[in-house]
Amino acid sequence: MLPLVLLFLGAKADDGRFFDQRVAPIIETHCLGCHNEELKNGNISFLDRESLLRGGAHGPAIVPGKPAGSLLMIALRHGGELQMPPGPKLSSKEITVFRKWIQSGAVWGARLRK
Ligand code: HEC
């Protein structure tokens, strides 16, 4: 019973906490240097959820609820031509964090704001 309750509380608690605690730190370390308001590489900024929904030349970067259809996930896996970040791939643990975040609706937090 207890694990179920915790699961429920965990689900209820997604008010941006998952983004702030798990997703934002990876973005800060690996993406923000090139995708910010000044350097909008690929025309996307990670300080702006709308910008990711809109995407750049390749179309929307994220499709909330659909990690498999999100360009960002394809880029993280380094499977195709678009490989992000350029250079070494993120760890599979980090990639999983992005997948979970997009799967659960890509809720934004307070940590990254323009
Ligand atoms: C060293 C700079 C650099 C870093 C770091 C970087 N990117 Fe990029 N990113 C680019 C450039 C340049 C492009 C445009 C590439 C192109 O059009 O072929 C791009 C394009 C993209 C696109 C496609 C946008 C579009 O529609 O054209 C996505 C999605 C993306 N990056 C995600 C990420 C993610 C996620 C991270 C962090 C894990 C990241 N990038 C880190 C430089 C960077």
Side-chain angles (χ1 to χ4, degrees):
M1 194 57 199
L2 192 60
L4 258 181
V5 170
L6 290 177
L7 201 70
F8 178 70
L9 288 174
K12 288 284 283 184
D14 196 359
D15 46 9
R17 236 175 292 179
F18 185 78
F19 180 83
D20 283 343
Q21 294 174 359
R22 307 287 303 279
V23 186
I26 306 175
I27 291 176
E28 283 170 352
T29 310
H30 296 286
C31 317
L32 216 51
C34 298
H35 298 284
N36 54 57
E37 293 304 300
E38 286 79 42
L39 279 179
K40 269 193 169 181
N41 272 312
N43 219 25
I44 55 172
S45 164
F46 278 92
L47 294 176
D48 178 2
R49 184 175 187 267
E50 291 305 313
S51 161
L52 298 182
L53 292 174
R54 209 169 39 239
H58 298 85
I62 56 172
V63 182
K66 294 197 169 66
S70 295
L71 177 66
L72 189 150
M73 294 308 302
I74 295 165
L76 289 182
R77 282 198 214 95
H78 283 201
E81 223 161 81
L82 188 73
Q83 306 192 340
M84 292 292 145
K89 244 198 327 190
L90 295 185
S91 70
S92 55
K93 225 174 132 187
E94 289 167 320
I95 294 176
T96 301
V97 168
F98 276 102
R99 186 172 55 68
K100 284 191 182 153
W101 172 61
I102 294 173
Q103 182 71 59
S104 59
V107 178
W108 207 257
R111 187 158 159 171
L112 300 186
R113 292 259 188 248
K114 313 194 237 193

Coordinates of all heavy atoms in Angstrom, one line a residue, residues 20-110:
D20 N 12.6 21.1 -12.5 CA 13.6 21.9 -11.8 C 14.7 21.0 -11.2 O 15.9 21.4 -11.3 CB 12.9 22.6 -10.7 CG 12.2 23.9 -11.2 OD1 12.4 24.3 -12.4 OD2 11.3 24.4 -10.5
Q21 N 14.4 19.8 -10.7 CA 15.4 19.0 -10.0 C 16.1 18.1 -11.0 O 17.3 17.8 -10.7 CB 14.7 18.2 -8.9 CG 14.2 19.1 -7.8 CD 13.4 18.4 -6.8 OE1 13.2 17.1 -6.9 NE2 12.9 19.1 -5.8
R22 N 15.5 17.6 -12.0 CA 16.1 16.6 -12.8 C 16.5 17.0 -14.2 O 17.5 16.7 -14.7 CB 15.2 15.3 -12.9 CG 14.7 14.8 -11.6 CD 15.8 14.1 -10.8 NE 16.4 13.0 -11.6 CZ 15.9 11.8 -11.7 NH1 14.8 11.5 -11.1 NH2 16.5 10.8 -12.4
V23 N 15.6 17.8 -14.9 CA 15.8 18.2 -16.3 C 16.7 19.4 -16.4 O 17.6 19.4 -17.1 CB 14.4 18.4 -17.0 CG1 14.7 18.6 -18.5 CG2 13.5 17.2 -16.8
A24 N 16.3 20.4 -15.7 CA 17.0 21.7 -15.8 C 18.5 21.6 -15.6 O 19.3 22.2 -16.3 CB 16.4 22.8 -14.8
P25 N 19.0 20.9 -14.6 CA 20.4 20.8 -14.4 C 21.1 20.2 -15.6 O 22.2 20.6 -15.9 CB 20.6 19.8 -13.2 CG 19.3 19.9 -12.4 CD 18.2 20.2 -13.5
I26 N 20.5 19.2 -16.3 CA 21.1 18.7 -17.5 C 21.2 19.7 -18.6 O 22.2 19.9 -19.3 CB 20.4 17.4 -18.0 CG1 20.3 16.4 -16.9 CG2 21.1 16.8 -19.2 CD1 19.4 15.2 -17.2
I27 N 20.1 20.4 -18.7 CA 20.0 21.5 -19.8 C 21.0 22.5 -19.5 O 21.7 23.0 -20.4 CB 18.6 22.1 -19.8 CG1 17.5 21.1 -20.3 CG2 18.5 23.4 -20.6 CD1 16.1 21.5 -20.3
E28 N 21.2 22.9 -18.2 CA 22.2 24.0 -17.9 C 23.6 23.5 -18.3 O 24.3 24.3 -18.8 CB 22.1 24.3 -16.4 CG 20.9 25.2 -16.0 CD 20.7 25.3 -14.5 OE1 21.4 24.5 -13.7 OE2 19.8 26.0 -14.1
T29 N 23.9 22.3 -18.0 CA 25.2 21.8 -18.2 C 25.5 21.5 -19.7 O 26.6 21.8 -20.2 CB 25.5 20.5 -17.4 OG1 25.1 20.7 -16.1 CG2 26.9 20.1 -17.5
H30 N 24.5 21.0 -20.4 CA 24.8 20.5 -21.8 C 24.1 21.2 -22.9 O 24.4 20.9 -24.1 CB 24.4 19.0 -21.8 CG 25.1 18.1 -20.9 ND1 26.4 17.7 -21.1 CD2 24.8 17.5 -19.7 CE1 26.9 17.0 -20.1 NE2 25.9 16.8 -19.3
C31 N 23.1 22.0 -22.7 CA 22.4 22.6 -23.8 C 22.4 24.2 -23.8 O 22.4 24.8 -24.9 CB 21.0 22.1 -23.8 SG 20.7 20.4 -23.5
L32 N 22.3 24.7 -22.6 CA 22.1 26.2 -22.5 C 23.2 27.0 -23.1 O 22.9 28.1 -23.6 CB 21.9 26.5 -21.0 CG 20.9 27.6 -20.7 CD1 19.5 27.4 -21.4 CD2 20.7 27.8 -19.2
G33 N 24.4 26.5 -23.2 CA 25.5 27.2 -23.7 C 25.3 27.7 -25.2 O 25.8 28.7 -25.6
C34 N 24.5 26.9 -25.9 CA 24.3 27.1 -27.3 C 22.8 27.5 -27.6 O 22.5 28.2 -28.6 CB 24.6 25.9 -28.2 SG 26.3 25.4 -28.1
H35 N 21.9 27.1 -26.7 CA 20.5 27.4 -27.0 C 20.0 28.3 -25.9 O 19.3 27.8 -25.0 CB 19.7 26.1 -27.0 CG 20.1 25.1 -28.1 ND1 19.7 25.3 -29.4 CD2 20.8 23.9 -28.0 CE1 20.2 24.2 -30.1 NE2 20.9 23.4 -29.3
N36 N 20.3 29.6 -26.0 CA 19.7 30.5 -25.0 C 19.2 31.7 -25.8 O 19.1 31.7 -27.1 CB 20.8 31.0 -24.1 CG 22.1 31.5 -24.8 OD1 22.0 32.4 -25.6 ND2 23.2 30.8 -24.5
E37 N 18.9 32.8 -25.1 CA 18.2 33.9 -25.8 C 19.1 34.7 -26.8 O 18.7 35.3 -27.7 CB 17.6 34.9 -24.8 CG 16.4 34.3 -24.1 CD 15.3 33.7 -25.0 OE1 14.8 34.6 -25.7 OE2 15.0 32.5 -24.9
E38 N 20.4 34.6 -26.5 CA 21.4 35.3 -27.4 C 21.8 34.4 -28.5 O 21.9 34.8 -29.6 CB 22.6 35.8 -26.6 CG 22.4 37.0 -25.7 CD 21.7 36.6 -24.4 OE1 22.1 35.6 -23.8 OE2 20.8 37.3 -23.9
L39 N 22.2 33.2 -28.1 CA 22.7 32.2 -29.1 C 21.6 31.2 -29.3 O 21.6 30.1 -28.7 CB 23.9 31.4 -28.5 CG 25.2 32.1 -28.6 CD1 26.3 31.2 -27.9 CD2 25.6 32.4 -30.0
K40 N 20.7 31.5 -30.2 CA 19.6 30.6 -30.4 C 20.0 29.6 -31.5 O 19.4 29.6 -32.6 CB 18.3 31.4 -30.8 CG 17.4 31.7 -29.7 CD 16.1 32.2 -30.2 CE 15.1 32.3 -29.1 NZ 13.8 32.8 -29.7
N41 N 20.9 28.7 -31.3 CA 21.3 27.8 -32.3 C 20.1 26.9 -32.7 O 19.4 26.5 -31.8 CB 22.4 26.9 -31.7 CG 23.8 27.5 -31.9 OD1 24.1 27.9 -33.0 ND2 24.6 27.5 -30.9
G42 N 20.0 26.7 -34.0 CA 18.9 25.9 -34.4 C 17.6 26.6 -34.2 O 16.5 26.0 -34.3
N43 N 17.6 27.9 -33.8 CA 16.5 28.7 -33.5 C 15.6 28.3 -32.3 O 14.5 28.6 -32.2 CB 15.5 28.7 -34.8 CG 15.0 30.1 -35.0 OD1 15.5 31.1 -34.6 ND2 13.8 30.1 -35.6
I44 N 16.3 27.5 -31.4 CA 15.6 27.2 -30.1 C 16.3 27.6 -28.9 O 17.5 27.7 -28.9 CB 15.3 25.6 -30.0 CG1 16.6 24.8 -30.1 CG2 14.3 25.2 -31.1 CD1 16.4 23.4 -29.9
S45 N 15.5 28.0 -27.9 CA 16.1 28.4 -26.6 C 15.6 27.5 -25.5 O 14.4 27.3 -25.4 CB 15.8 29.9 -26.3 OG 16.0 30.1 -24.9
F46 N 16.4 27.0 -24.6 CA 16.0 26.2 -23.5 C 15.6 27.1 -22.3 O 15.4 26.5 -21.2 CB 17.1 25.2 -23.2 CG 17.0 24.0 -24.0 CD1 17.8 23.9 -25.2 CD2 16.2 22.9 -23.7 CE1 17.7 22.8 -26.0 CE2 16.1 21.8 -24.6 CZ 16.9 21.8 -25.7
L47 N 15.4 28.4 -22.6 CA 14.9 29.2 -21.5 C 13.4 29.5 -21.8 O 12.8 30.3 -21.1 CB 15.6 30.5 -21.4 CG 17.1 30.5 -21.0 CD1 17.8 31.8 -21.1 CD2 17.2 29.9 -19.6
D48 N 12.8 28.8 -22.7 CA 11.5 29.1 -23.2 C 10.8 27.9 -23.8 O 11.2 27.4 -24.8 CB 11.8 30.2 -24.3 CG 10.5 30.6 -25.0 OD1 9.4 30.2 -24.6 OD2 10.6 31.5 -25.9
R49 N 9.8 27.4 -23.0 CA 9.1 26.2 -23.4 C 8.4 26.4 -24.8 O 8.5 25.4 -25.6 CB 8.1 25.8 -22.4 CG 7.3 24.5 -22.7 CD 6.4 24.2 -21.5 NE 5.8 22.9 -21.6 CZ 4.6 22.6 -22.2 NH1 3.9 23.6 -22.7 NH2 4.1 21.4 -22.2
E50 N 7.9 27.5 -25.0 CA 7.2 27.8 -26.3 C 8.2 27.6 -27.5 O 7.8 27.1 -28.5 CB 6.7 29.3 -26.3 CG 5.5 29.5 -25.4 CD 4.4 28.6 -25.6 OE1 4.0 28.4 -26.8 OE2 3.9 27.9 -24.7
S51 N 9.4 28.0 -27.3 CA 10.4 27.9 -28.3 C 10.7 26.5 -28.7 O 10.9 26.1 -29.8 CB 11.7 28.6 -27.8 OG 12.8 28.2 -28.6
L52 N 10.6 25.6 -27.7 CA 10.8 24.2 -27.9 C 9.6 23.5 -28.6 O 9.7 22.7 -29.5 CB 11.1 23.4 -26.6 CG 12.3 23.8 -25.9 CD1 12.5 23.0 -24.6 CD2 13.6 23.8 -26.7
L53 N 8.4 24.0 -28.2 CA 7.2 23.5 -28.9 C 7.2 23.9 -30.3 O 6.8 23.1 -31.2 CB 6.0 24.1 -28.2 CG 5.7 23.6 -26.7 CD1 4.6 24.3 -26.1 CD2 5.5 22.1 -26.7
R54 N 7.6 25.1 -30.6 CA 7.6 25.7 -32.0 C 8.8 25.0 -32.7 O 8.6 24.6 -33.9 CB 7.8 27.2 -31.9 CG 7.2 28.0 -33.0 CD 7.3 29.5 -32.7 NE 8.5 29.9 -32.0 CZ 8.5 30.5 -30.8 NH1 7.4 30.7 -30.2 NH2 9.6 30.9 -30.3
G55 N 9.9 24.9 -32.1 CA 11.1 24.3 -32.7 C 11.7 25.2 -33.8 O 11.4 26.4 -33.9
G56 N 12.7 24.6 -34.5 CA 13.4 25.4 -35.5 C 13.1 24.8 -36.9 O 12.0 24.4 -37.2
A57 N 14.2 24.8 -37.7 CA 14.1 24.4 -39.1 C 13.6 23.0 -39.2 O 12.9 22.6 -40.2 CB 15.4 24.6 -39.8
H58 N 13.9 22.2 -38.2 CA 13.5 20.7 -38.3 C 12.1 20.5 -37.7 O 11.7 19.3 -37.6 CB 14.5 19.9 -37.5 CG 15.9 20.0 -38.1 ND1 16.8 21.0 -37.8 CD2 16.6 19.1 -39.0 CE1 18.0 20.7 -38.4 NE2 17.8 19.7 -39.2
G59 N 11.4 21.5 -37.3 CA 10.1 21.3 -36.7 C 10.1 21.3 -35.2 O 11.2 21.5 -34.6
P60 N 9.0 21.0 -34.5 CA 8.9 21.1 -33.1 C 10.0 20.2 -32.4 O 10.3 19.1 -32.9 CB 7.6 20.5 -32.7 CG 6.7 20.7 -34.0 CD 7.7 20.6 -35.1
A61 N 10.7 20.7 -31.4 CA 11.7 20.0 -30.7 C 11.1 19.0 -29.7 O 11.6 17.9 -29.6 CB 12.7 20.9 -29.9
I62 N 10.0 19.4 -29.1 CA 9.3 18.5 -28.2 C 7.8 18.4 -28.5 O 7.2 19.4 -28.9 CB 9.5 18.9 -26.7 CG1 9.0 20.3 -26.4 CG2 10.9 18.7 -26.2 CD1 8.9 20.7 -25.0
V63 N 7.3 17.2 -28.4 CA 5.8 17.0 -28.5 C 5.4 16.4 -27.2 O 5.6 15.2 -26.9 CB 5.5 16.0 -29.7 CG1 4.0 15.9 -29.8 CG2 6.1 16.5 -31.0
P64 N 4.8 17.2 -26.3 CA 4.5 16.7 -24.9 C 3.6 15.4 -25.0 O 2.7 15.3 -25.8 CB 3.6 17.9 -24.4 CG 4.2 19.1 -25.1 CD 4.5 18.6 -26.5
G65 N 4.0 14.4 -24.2 CA 3.4 13.2 -24.2 C 3.9 12.2 -25.2 O 3.5 11.0 -25.2
K66 N 4.7 12.6 -26.1 CA 5.2 11.8 -27.2 C 6.7 11.8 -27.4 O 7.2 12.4 -28.4 CB 4.5 12.2 -28.5 CG 3.0 12.0 -28.6 CD 2.5 12.0 -30.0 CE 1.1 11.5 -30.1 NZ 0.1 12.4 -29.4
P67 N 7.4 11.2 -26.5 CA 8.9 11.2 -26.6 C 9.3 10.6 -27.9 O 10.3 11.1 -28.6 CB 9.4 10.4 -25.4 CG 8.2 9.8 -24.8 CD 7.0 10.5 -25.3
A68 N 8.7 9.6 -28.4 CA 9.1 8.9 -29.6 C 9.0 9.8 -30.8 O 9.7 9.7 -31.8 CB 8.3 7.6 -29.9
G69 N 8.1 10.8 -30.8 CA 7.9 11.7 -31.9 C 8.6 13.0 -31.7 O 8.3 14.0 -32.4
S70 N 9.4 13.1 -30.6 CA 10.1 14.4 -30.3 C 11.5 14.4 -30.9 O 12.3 13.5 -30.6 CB 10.1 14.6 -28.8 OG 8.8 14.7 -28.3
L71 N 11.7 15.4 -31.7 CA 13.0 15.6 -32.4 C 14.2 15.6 -31.3 O 15.2 15.0 -31.5 CB 13.0 16.9 -33.2 CG 14.3 17.2 -33.8 CD1 14.7 16.3 -34.9 CD2 14.3 18.7 -34.4
L72 N 13.9 16.2 -30.2 CA 14.9 16.3 -29.1 C 15.4 14.9 -28.7 O 16.6 14.7 -28.6 CB 14.3 17.0 -27.9 CG 15.2 17.4 -26.8 CD1 14.7 18.7 -26.1 CD2 15.3 16.3 -25.7
M73 N 14.5 13.9 -28.6 CA 14.9 12.6 -28.2 C 15.7 11.9 -29.3 O 16.7 11.2 -29.0 CB 13.7 11.7 -27.9 CG 12.9 12.2 -26.7 SD 13.8 12.4 -25.2 CE 14.6 10.7 -25.0
I74 N 15.3 12.2 -30.6 CA 16.0 11.6 -31.7 C 17.5 12.2 -31.7 O 18.4 11.4 -31.9 CB 15.3 11.9 -33.0 CG1 13.9 11.2 -33.0 CG2 16.1 11.5 -34.2 CD1 12.9 11.7 -34.0
A75 N 17.6 13.5 -31.4 CA 18.9 14.1 -31.4 C 19.8 13.6 -30.3 O 20.9 13.3 -30.4 CB 18.7 15.6 -31.3
L76 N 19.1 13.3 -29.1 CA 19.9 12.9 -28.0 C 20.4 11.5 -28.2 O 21.5 11.1 -27.7 CB 19.0 12.8 -26.7 CG 18.6 14.2 -26.1 CD1 17.8 13.9 -24.8 CD2 19.8 15.0 -25.7
R77 N 19.7 10.7 -28.9 CA 20.2 9.3 -29.2 C 21.3 9.2 -30.2 O 21.9 8.1 -30.4 CB 19.0 8.4 -29.6 CG 18.1 8.0 -28.4 CD 17.2 6.9 -28.7 NE 16.0 7.0 -28.0 CZ 14.9 7.6 -28.5 NH1 14.9 7.9 -29.8 NH2 13.8 7.7 -27.8
H78 N 21.6 10.3 -30.9 CA 22.6 10.3 -31.9 C 22.4 9.3 -33.0 O 23.4 8.7 -33.5 CB 24.0 10.1 -31.2 CG 24.5 11.4 -30.5 ND1 25.8 11.6 -30.2 CD2 23.9 12.5 -30.1 CE1 26.0 12.8 -29.6 NE2 24.8 13.3 -29.5
G79 N 21.2 9.0 -33.3 CA 20.9 8.0 -34.3 C 20.9 8.5 -35.7 O 21.3 7.8 -36.6
G80 N 20.5 9.8 -35.9 CA 20.4 10.3 -37.2 C 21.5 11.4 -37.4 O 22.5 11.4 -36.8
E81 N 21.1 12.3 -38.3 CA 22.1 13.4 -38.7 C 22.2 14.4 -37.6 O 23.3 14.9 -37.3 CB 21.6 14.1 -40.0 CG 22.7 14.3 -40.9 CD 22.2 14.5 -42.3 OE1 21.8 15.7 -42.6 OE2 22.2 13.6 -43.1
L82 N 21.1 14.8 -36.9 CA 21.1 15.8 -35.9 C 21.5 15.1 -34.6 O 20.8 14.3 -34.0 CB 19.7 16.4 -35.8 CG 19.6 17.6 -34.8 CD1 20.2 18.8 -35.4 CD2 18.1 17.8 -34.5
Q83 N 22.7 15.5 -34.1 CA 23.2 14.8 -32.9 C 23.4 15.9 -31.8 O 24.2 16.8 -32.0 CB 24.5 14.1 -33.2 CG 24.3 13.1 -34.3 CD 25.5 12.1 -34.4 OE1 26.5 12.4 -33.9 NE2 25.2 11.0 -35.1
M84 N 22.7 15.8 -30.7 CA 22.8 16.8 -29.6 C 23.0 16.1 -28.3 O 22.4 15.1 -28.0 CB 21.5 17.6 -29.5 CG 21.3 18.5 -30.7 SD 22.5 19.8 -30.8 CE 22.8 20.0 -32.5
P85 N 23.9 16.7 -27.4 CA 24.8 17.7 -27.8 C 25.8 17.3 -28.8 O 26.1 16.1 -28.8 CB 25.4 18.1 -26.4 CG 25.3 16.8 -25.6 CD 24.1 16.1 -26.1
P86 N 26.4 18.2 -29.5 CA 27.4 17.8 -30.4 C 28.6 17.2 -29.6 O 28.8 17.7 -28.5 CB 27.9 19.1 -31.1 CG 26.8 20.1 -30.8 CD 26.1 19.7 -29.5
G87 N 29.2 16.2 -30.1 CA 30.3 15.6 -29.3 C 29.7 14.4 -28.5 O 28.7 13.7 -29.0
P88 N 30.2 14.0 -27.4 CA 29.8 12.8 -26.7 C 28.3 12.8 -26.3 O 27.7 13.9 -26.0 CB 30.6 12.8 -25.4 CG 31.7 13.8 -25.6 CD 31.3 14.8 -26.6
K89 N 27.7 11.7 -26.5 CA 26.3 11.5 -26.1 C 26.1 11.7 -24.6 O 27.0 11.4 -23.8 CB 25.9 10.1 -26.5 CG 24.8 10.0 -27.5 CD 24.1 8.7 -27.7 CE 24.7 7.4 -27.4 NZ 23.8 6.3 -27.9
L90 N 24.9 12.1 -24.2 CA 24.5 12.1 -22.8 C 24.5 10.7 -22.3 O 24.3 9.7 -23.1 CB 23.2 12.8 -22.6 CG 23.0 14.3 -22.9 CD1 21.6 14.7 -22.5 CD2 24.1 15.1 -22.2
S91 N 24.6 10.5 -21.0 CA 24.4 9.1 -20.4 C 23.0 8.6 -20.6 O 22.1 9.4 -20.8 CB 24.8 9.1 -19.0 OG 23.8 9.8 -18.2
S92 N 22.8 7.3 -20.6 CA 21.5 6.8 -20.9 C 20.6 7.2 -19.7 O 19.4 7.4 -19.9 CB 21.5 5.3 -21.0 OG 22.1 4.7 -19.9
K93 N 21.1 7.4 -18.5 CA 20.3 7.9 -17.4 C 19.8 9.3 -17.7 O 18.6 9.6 -17.4 CB 21.2 8.0 -16.2 CG 20.6 7.4 -14.9 CD 21.6 7.3 -13.8 CE 21.0 7.9 -12.5 NZ 22.0 8.0 -11.5
E94 N 20.6 10.2 -18.3 CA 20.2 11.5 -18.6 C 19.2 11.5 -19.7 O 18.2 12.3 -19.6 CB 21.4 12.4 -19.0 CG 22.3 12.7 -17.8 CD 23.7 13.3 -18.2 OE1 24.3 12.8 -19.2 OE2 24.2 14.2 -17.5
I95 N 19.4 10.7 -20.7 CA 18.4 10.6 -21.8 C 17.1 10.1 -21.3 O 16.0 10.6 -21.7 CB 19.0 9.6 -22.9 CG1 20.2 10.3 -23.5 CG2 17.9 9.4 -24.0 CD1 20.9 9.4 -24.6
T96 N 17.1 9.2 -20.3 CA 15.8 8.7 -19.7 C 15.1 9.8 -19.0 O 13.9 9.9 -19.0 CB 16.1 7.5 -18.7 OG1 16.8 6.5 -19.4 CG2 14.9 7.0 -18.1
V97 N 15.8 10.7 -18.3 CA 15.2 11.9 -17.7 C 14.4 12.7 -18.7 O 13.3 13.0 -18.4 CB 16.3 12.7 -16.9 CG1 15.7 14.1 -16.5 CG2 16.8 12.0 -15.7
F98 N 15.0 13.0 -19.8 CA 14.3 13.7 -20.9 C 13.1 13.0 -21.3 O 12.0 13.5 -21.6 CB 15.2 14.0 -22.1 CG 16.1 15.2 -21.9 CD1 17.4 15.1 -21.6 CD2 15.6 16.5 -22.1 CE1 18.3 16.2 -21.4 CE2 16.4 17.6 -22.0 CZ 17.7 17.5 -21.6
R99 N 13.2 11.6 -21.5 CA 12.1 10.8 -22.0 C 10.9 10.9 -21.0 O 9.8 11.1 -21.4 CB 12.5 9.4 -22.2 CG 11.4 8.5 -22.9 CD 11.9 7.2 -23.3 NE 12.5 6.4 -22.2 CZ 11.8 5.9 -21.2 NH1 10.5 6.1 -21.1 NH2 12.4 5.2 -20.2
K100 N 11.2 10.7 -19.7 CA 10.2 10.8 -18.7 C 9.5 12.1 -18.7 O 8.3 12.2 -18.5 CB 10.7 10.4 -17.3 CG 11.0 9.0 -17.1 CD 11.4 8.7 -15.7 CE 11.7 7.3 -15.5 NZ 12.6 7.1 -14.3
W101 N 10.3 13.2 -18.8 CA 9.8 14.5 -18.7 C 8.8 14.8 -19.9 O 7.7 15.3 -19.7 CB 11.0 15.5 -18.8 CG 10.6 16.9 -18.9 CD1 9.8 17.7 -18.0 CD2 10.9 17.8 -20.0 NE1 9.6 18.9 -18.5 CE2 10.3 19.1 -19.7 CE3 11.6 17.7 -21.2 CZ2 10.4 20.2 -20.5 CZ3 11.7 18.8 -22.0 CH2 11.1 20.0 -21.6
I102 N 9.2 14.4 -21.1 CA 8.3 14.6 -22.3 C 7.1 13.8 -22.2 O 6.0 14.2 -22.4 CB 9.1 14.4 -23.6 CG1 10.2 15.4 -23.8 CG2 8.2 14.4 -24.8 CD1 11.1 15.1 -24.9
Q103 N 7.3 12.5 -21.7 CA 6.2 11.5 -21.6 C 5.1 12.1 -20.6 O 3.9 12.0 -20.9 CB 6.7 10.2 -21.0 CG 5.7 9.1 -20.8 CD 5.2 8.6 -22.2 OE1 6.0 8.1 -23.0 NE2 3.9 8.7 -22.5
S104 N 5.5 12.8 -19.6 CA 4.6 13.3 -18.6 C 4.1 14.7 -18.9 O 3.7 15.4 -18.0 CB 5.1 13.1 -17.2 OG 6.3 13.9 -17.1
G105 N 4.3 15.1 -20.1 CA 3.7 16.4 -20.5 C 4.7 17.5 -20.7 O 4.2 18.7 -20.9
A106 N 5.9 17.3 -20.4 CA 6.9 18.4 -20.5 C 6.6 19.6 -19.7 O 6.6 20.7 -20.2 CB 7.2 18.7 -22.0
V107 N 6.2 19.3 -18.4 CA 5.8 20.4 -17.5 C 7.1 21.3 -17.2 O 8.1 20.7 -16.9 CB 5.2 19.9 -16.2 CG1 4.9 21.0 -15.3 CG2 4.0 19.0 -16.5
W108 N 6.9 22.6 -17.3 CA 8.1 23.5 -17.1 C 8.1 23.9 -15.6 O 7.1 23.7 -14.9 CB 7.8 24.7 -18.0 CG 9.1 25.5 -18.3 CD1 9.6 26.6 -17.7 CD2 10.0 25.1 -19.4 NE1 10.8 27.0 -18.4 CE2 11.1 26.1 -19.3 CE3 10.1 24.0 -20.3 CZ2 12.1 26.0 -20.2 CZ3 11.2 24.0 -21.2 CH2 12.2 25.0 -21.1
G109 N 9.3 24.3 -15.1 CA 9.4 24.6 -13.7 C 9.7 26.1 -13.6 O 9.4 26.9 -14.5
A110 N 10.4 26.4 -12.5 CA 10.7 27.8 -12.2 C 12.2 28.1 -12.4 O 12.6 29.3 -12.5 CB 10.3 28.2 -10.8

